[in-house]
Amino acid sequence: MSIPRVSSRRILRATARGRVVVGYAIDPAQVTPLLPDGLVPARDEGTTYVSLVGVELAALRMLGVVPPGFRRVPAVELRVHVHPVGAPDKEGTWTAQAHVPRRLVAWGARLLYGERVAVTSMQPIRRKPVDHVELTYRFDWKGREQRIRVRGERPPVMPGPDARAHVLLGPRRRFSTARDGTLLRTRIERPAAPICRVQEHHVSVQWPAVYGDIGRLLQNQAPACVLLSPRTPVALRWPERE
């Protein structure tokens, strides 16, 4: 597969609805051996964030075209905050494992970005009473249900300039590995957006069974931060060789 070194064209535009980020602070030394060649853990006050993210992409356009039958696409991914070796100013994320309900979405992510994406049944549930919003992402893995549930206060507010939310929500790059082992970088366009103050959260995941060695690092860990972003426009550009 030939990946262009420089490309300004957007491959995807969408609205990220109900984006839930459950961030865990992990010792960077434990994360380092689990990353692909060329990437090292990004550090924030001596720790590295590993985040479980649930999101639903709406108003999806691929190369300016609305794919038939893709009005809404949910996804759950486990990602690590990283940067290329010797380039701490290029912080982004690397997806350890993602789950989606559509084979075509998984195929595209594997082909274009070399990402680990599995197909499974998935059922996002959204409730929006007057004073709060409640989101649940459920997916099956080997016959067992995995669940993320978050309840947030309405109305949403913009986080402060030094808030941890910017670290977890804001990376403008995502890294992956092509079939030939080349490190790829994808630029993300995603403006700062208001978030709902999280009142309750519950994560029920079989960490090692679903996410392997990285999952073992999260077993019995309490989240350092849980965020809920109701709605954010997002765009992905073509991957570039790092």
Side-chain angles (χ1 to χ4, degrees):
M1 176 181 63
S2 177
I3 301 294
R5 284 188 174 272
V6 178
S7 174
S8 60
R9 192 177 185 186
R10 297 177 182 89
I11 188 172
L12 178 147
R13 290 178 181 268
T15 299
R17 300 179 63 218
R19 189 171 176 228
V20 172
V21 181
V22 185
Y24 297 85
I26 304 297
D27 181 351
Q30 294 181 292
V31 179
T32 299
L34 305 178
L35 297 177
D37 291 342
L39 294 176
V40 294
R43 295 172 182 254
D44 184 76
E45 298 182 352
T47 65
T48 293
Y49 284 112
V50 179
S51 302
L52 186 64
V53 180
V55 68
E56 187 174 37
L57 297 180
L60 185 68
R61 288 181 176 271
M62 297 287 293
L63 298 175
V65 177
V66 180
F70 282 74
R71 188 173 170 218
R72 291 193 179 114
V73 179
V76 174
E77 66 172 333
L78 186 70
R79 64 183 196 177
V80 183
H81 287 246
V82 297
H83 64 75
V85 174
D89 58 323
K90 294 184 178 180
E91 183 177 340
T93 61
W94 169 73
T95 299
Q97 180 66 61
H99 293 88
V100 298
R102 293 182 177 273
R103 295 186 183 278
L104 186 57
V105 174
W107 176 81
R110 294 174 193 144
L111 178 66
L112 291 173
Y113 302 106
E115 293 192 341
R116 303 177 183 179
V117 185
V119 180
T120 185
S121 60
M122 185 175 294
Q123 184 180 11
I125 300 172
R126 177 191 305 267
R127 296 186 178 92
K128 295 176 66 175
V130 174
D131 60 344
H132 71 274
V133 56
E134 184 174 313
L135 289 165
T136 302
Y137 288 94
R138 302 190 308 192
F139 67 95
D140 294 327
W141 188 246
K142 296 184 178 179
R144 300 291 295 272
E145 182 183 86
Q146 320 297 320
R147 183 189 297 251
I148 313 164
R149 183 178 65 82
V150 173
R151 173 178 167 142
E153 185 179 88
R154 298 176 70 188
V157 297
M158 290 297 295
D162 298 323
R164 187 182 293 168
H166 295 295
V167 176
L168 291 171
L169 291 173
R172 297 293 192 266
R173 306 171 186 87
R174 59 191 302 158
F175 296 96
S176 57
T177 306
R179 293 181 183 178
D180 62 0
T182 301
L183 188 63
L184 304 178
R185 178 186 72 249
T186 301
R187 286 188 290 165
I188 304 172
E189 297 174 0
R190 182 167 48 213
I195 59 175
C196 297
R197 186 176 69 85
V198 172
Q199 301 166 315
E200 299 176 13
H201 70 272
H202 177 72
V203 179
S204 178
V205 171
Q206 294 178 295
W207 291 110
V210 181
Y211 296 110
D213 289 338
I214 290 183
R216 289 185 180 88
L217 300 180
L218 307 181
Q219 199 167 24
N220 303 319
Q221 290 274 358
C225 186
V226 182
L227 302 169
L228 170 54
S229 174
R231 184 183 294 267
T232 314
V234 63
L236 270 67
R237 294 182 180 269
W238 282 95
E240 303 168 4
R241 292 185 182 273
E242 179 60 32

Coordinates of all heavy atoms in Angstrom, one line a residue, residues 159-198:
P159 N -14.0 23.5 29.6 CA -13.0 23.3 30.6 C -12.0 24.5 30.7 O -11.8 25.2 29.7 CB -12.3 22.0 30.2 CG -12.6 21.9 28.7 CD -13.9 22.6 28.4
G160 N -11.4 24.7 31.8 CA -10.4 25.7 32.0 C -9.2 25.5 31.2 O -9.0 24.4 30.7
P161 N -8.4 26.5 30.9 CA -7.2 26.4 30.0 C -6.2 25.3 30.5 O -5.5 24.8 29.7 CB -6.6 27.8 30.0 CG -7.2 28.5 31.2 CD -8.5 27.9 31.5
D162 N -6.1 25.1 31.8 CA -5.2 24.1 32.3 C -5.8 22.8 32.7 O -5.2 22.0 33.4 CB -4.4 24.7 33.5 CG -3.7 26.0 33.2 OD1 -3.1 26.0 32.1 OD2 -3.6 26.9 34.0
A163 N -7.0 22.6 32.4 CA -7.7 21.4 32.8 C -7.2 20.1 32.1 O -6.7 20.2 31.0 CB -9.2 21.5 32.4
R164 N -7.2 19.0 32.9 CA -6.8 17.7 32.3 C -7.6 17.3 31.1 O -7.1 16.5 30.3 CB -6.9 16.7 33.4 CG -6.2 15.3 33.1 CD -6.4 14.3 34.2 NE -5.7 14.7 35.4 CZ -5.9 14.2 36.6 NH1 -6.8 13.2 36.7 NH2 -5.1 14.5 37.6
A165 N -8.8 17.8 31.0 CA -9.6 17.5 29.8 C -8.9 17.7 28.5 O -9.1 17.0 27.5 CB -10.9 18.3 29.9
H166 N -8.1 18.8 28.4 CA -7.5 19.1 27.2 C -6.4 18.1 26.8 O -6.2 17.8 25.6 CB -6.8 20.5 27.3 CG -7.8 21.6 27.5 ND1 -8.7 22.0 26.5 CD2 -8.0 22.5 28.5 CE1 -9.4 23.0 26.9 NE2 -9.0 23.3 28.2
V167 N -5.8 17.5 27.8 CA -4.8 16.4 27.5 C -5.5 15.2 27.0 O -5.0 14.5 26.0 CB -4.0 16.0 28.8 CG1 -3.1 14.9 28.6 CG2 -3.3 17.2 29.4
L168 N -6.6 14.8 27.5 CA -7.3 13.6 27.2 C -8.2 13.7 25.9 O -8.3 12.8 25.1 CB -8.2 13.1 28.3 CG -7.5 12.6 29.5 CD1 -8.4 12.3 30.7 CD2 -6.7 11.3 29.2
L169 N -8.7 14.9 25.7 CA -9.6 15.1 24.5 C -8.9 15.7 23.3 O -9.4 15.6 22.2 CB -10.8 16.1 24.9 CG -11.8 15.6 25.9 CD1 -12.7 16.7 26.3 CD2 -12.6 14.4 25.3
G170 N -7.7 16.3 23.6 CA -7.2 17.2 22.5 C -6.1 16.7 21.6 O -5.7 17.5 20.7
P171 N -5.5 15.5 21.7 CA -4.5 15.2 20.8 C -4.9 15.4 19.3 O -6.0 15.0 18.9 CB -4.2 13.7 21.1 CG -4.6 13.5 22.5 CD -5.8 14.4 22.7
R172 N -4.0 16.0 18.5 CA -4.3 16.3 17.1 C -3.7 15.3 16.2 O -3.7 15.5 15.0 CB -3.9 17.7 16.8 CG -4.5 18.8 17.6 CD -6.0 18.9 17.2 NE -6.6 20.2 17.7 CZ -7.3 20.3 18.9 NH1 -7.4 19.2 19.6 NH2 -7.8 21.4 19.3
R173 N -3.2 14.2 16.7 CA -2.5 13.2 15.8 C -2.9 11.8 16.4 O -3.1 11.6 17.6 CB -1.0 13.3 15.9 CG -0.5 14.7 15.5 CD 1.0 14.8 15.7 NE 1.5 16.1 15.5 CZ 1.6 17.0 16.5 NH1 1.1 16.8 17.7 NH2 2.1 18.2 16.2
R174 N -3.0 10.9 15.5 CA -3.1 9.5 15.9 C -2.1 8.7 15.0 O -1.9 8.9 13.9 CB -4.5 8.9 15.7 CG -5.1 8.9 14.4 CD -6.6 8.6 14.5 NE -6.8 7.3 15.1 CZ -8.0 6.9 15.7 NH1 -9.0 7.8 15.7 NH2 -8.1 5.7 16.2
F175 N -1.4 7.8 15.7 CA -0.3 7.0 15.1 C -0.8 5.6 14.9 O -1.5 5.0 15.7 CB 0.9 7.1 16.0 CG 1.5 8.4 16.1 CD1 1.2 9.2 17.2 CD2 2.3 9.0 15.2 CE1 1.7 10.5 17.4 CE2 2.9 10.2 15.3 CZ 2.5 11.0 16.4
S176 N -0.2 5.0 13.8 CA -0.5 3.6 13.5 C 0.7 3.0 12.7 O 1.6 3.8 12.4 CB -1.8 3.4 12.7 OG -1.8 4.2 11.6
T177 N 0.6 1.8 12.4 CA 1.7 1.1 11.7 C 1.2 0.5 10.4 O 0.2 -0.3 10.4 CB 2.3 0.0 12.6 OG1 2.7 0.6 13.8 CG2 3.6 -0.6 11.9
A178 N 1.8 0.8 9.3 CA 1.5 0.2 8.0 C 1.9 -1.2 7.9 O 2.7 -1.7 8.8 CB 2.1 1.0 6.8
R179 N 1.5 -1.9 6.9 CA 1.8 -3.4 6.8 C 3.3 -3.6 6.7 O 3.8 -4.6 7.1 CB 1.2 -3.9 5.5 CG -0.4 -4.0 5.6 CD -1.0 -4.6 4.4 NE -2.4 -4.6 4.4 CZ -3.2 -5.0 3.4 NH1 -2.6 -5.5 2.3 NH2 -4.5 -5.0 3.5
D180 N 4.1 -2.6 6.1 CA 5.5 -2.8 6.0 C 6.3 -2.3 7.3 O 7.5 -2.3 7.3 CB 6.1 -2.1 4.8 CG 5.8 -0.6 4.9 OD1 5.3 -0.1 5.9 OD2 6.2 0.1 3.9
G181 N 5.5 -2.0 8.3 CA 6.2 -1.6 9.6 C 6.4 -0.1 9.7 O 6.9 0.4 10.7
T182 N 6.1 0.7 8.6 CA 6.3 2.1 8.6 C 5.3 2.8 9.6 O 4.1 2.4 9.7 CB 6.1 2.7 7.2 OG1 7.0 2.1 6.3 CG2 6.3 4.2 7.2
L183 N 5.8 3.7 10.4 CA 5.0 4.5 11.3 C 4.2 5.5 10.5 O 4.8 6.3 9.7 CB 5.9 5.1 12.4 CG 5.1 5.8 13.5 CD1 4.3 4.8 14.3 CD2 6.1 6.5 14.4
L184 N 2.9 5.5 10.7 CA 2.0 6.5 10.1 C 1.5 7.5 11.1 O 1.2 7.2 12.2 CB 0.8 5.8 9.4 CG 1.2 4.7 8.4 CD1 -0.1 4.0 7.9 CD2 2.0 5.2 7.3
R185 N 1.2 8.7 10.6 CA 0.6 9.8 11.4 C -0.6 10.3 10.7 O -0.5 10.6 9.5 CB 1.6 10.9 11.6 CG 1.1 12.0 12.5 CD 2.0 13.2 12.6 NE 2.2 13.9 11.3 CZ 3.2 13.9 10.5 NH1 4.3 13.2 10.9 NH2 3.3 14.6 9.4
T186 N -1.7 10.4 11.4 CA -2.9 11.0 10.8 C -3.3 12.2 11.6 O -3.4 12.2 12.8 CB -4.1 10.0 10.9 OG1 -3.7 8.8 10.2 CG2 -5.4 10.6 10.3
R187 N -3.4 13.3 10.9 CA -3.8 14.6 11.6 C -5.3 14.6 11.8 O -6.1 14.2 11.0 CB -3.4 15.8 10.7 CG -1.9 16.0 10.8 CD -1.5 17.3 10.1 NE -1.7 17.2 8.6 CZ -1.8 18.3 7.8 NH1 -1.7 19.5 8.3 NH2 -1.9 18.1 6.5
I188 N -5.7 15.1 13.0 CA -7.1 15.2 13.4 C -7.5 16.7 13.5 O -6.7 17.4 14.2 CB -7.4 14.4 14.7 CG1 -6.9 13.0 14.6 CG2 -8.8 14.5 15.1 CD1 -7.0 12.3 15.9
E189 N -8.6 17.1 13.0 CA -9.1 18.4 13.2 C -10.3 18.3 14.2 O -11.3 17.7 13.8 CB -9.5 19.0 11.9 CG -8.4 19.2 10.9 CD -8.8 19.7 9.6 OE1 -10.1 19.9 9.4 OE2 -8.0 19.9 8.7
R190 N -10.1 18.8 15.4 CA -11.2 18.7 16.4 C -11.1 19.9 17.3 O -10.1 20.0 18.1 CB -11.0 17.4 17.1 CG -12.0 17.1 18.2 CD -11.9 15.7 18.7 NE -10.6 15.3 19.0 CZ -10.1 14.1 18.9 NH1 -10.9 13.1 18.4 NH2 -8.9 13.8 19.2
P191 N -12.0 20.8 17.2 CA -11.9 22.0 18.1 C -12.2 21.7 19.5 O -12.8 20.7 19.8 CB -13.0 23.0 17.5 CG -14.0 22.0 16.9 CD -13.2 20.8 16.4
A192 N -11.8 22.6 20.4 CA -12.1 22.5 21.8 C -13.6 22.6 21.9 O -14.3 23.4 21.2 CB -11.4 23.6 22.6
A193 N -14.2 21.8 22.8 CA -15.7 21.8 22.9 C -16.1 21.7 24.4 O -15.3 21.2 25.2 CB -16.2 20.6 22.2
P194 N -17.3 22.1 24.8 CA -17.7 22.0 26.1 C -17.9 20.5 26.6 O -18.1 19.6 25.7 CB -19.0 22.7 26.1 CG -19.5 22.7 24.7 CD -18.3 22.7 23.9
I195 N -17.8 20.3 27.9 CA -18.0 19.0 28.4 C -19.0 19.0 29.6 O -19.2 20.1 30.2 CB -16.7 18.4 28.9 CG1 -16.0 19.3 30.0 CG2 -15.7 18.2 27.8 CD1 -14.8 18.7 30.7
C196 N -19.6 17.9 29.8 CA -20.5 17.8 30.9 C -19.8 17.3 32.2 O -19.0 16.3 32.1 CB -21.7 16.8 30.6 SG -22.7 17.2 29.2
R197 N -20.0 17.9 33.3 CA -19.4 17.4 34.5 C -19.9 16.0 34.9 O -21.1 15.9 35.0 CB -19.6 18.4 35.7 CG -18.9 18.0 37.0 CD -19.1 19.1 38.0 NE -20.5 19.1 38.5 CZ -21.0 18.2 39.5 NH1 -20.1 17.4 40.0 NH2 -22.2 18.3 39.8
V198 N -19.0 15.1 35.0 CA -19.5 13.7 35.2 C -19.9 13.5 36.6 O -19.1 13.8 37.6 CB -18.3 12.7 34.8 CG1 -18.7 11.3 35.2 CG2 -18.1 12.8 33.3

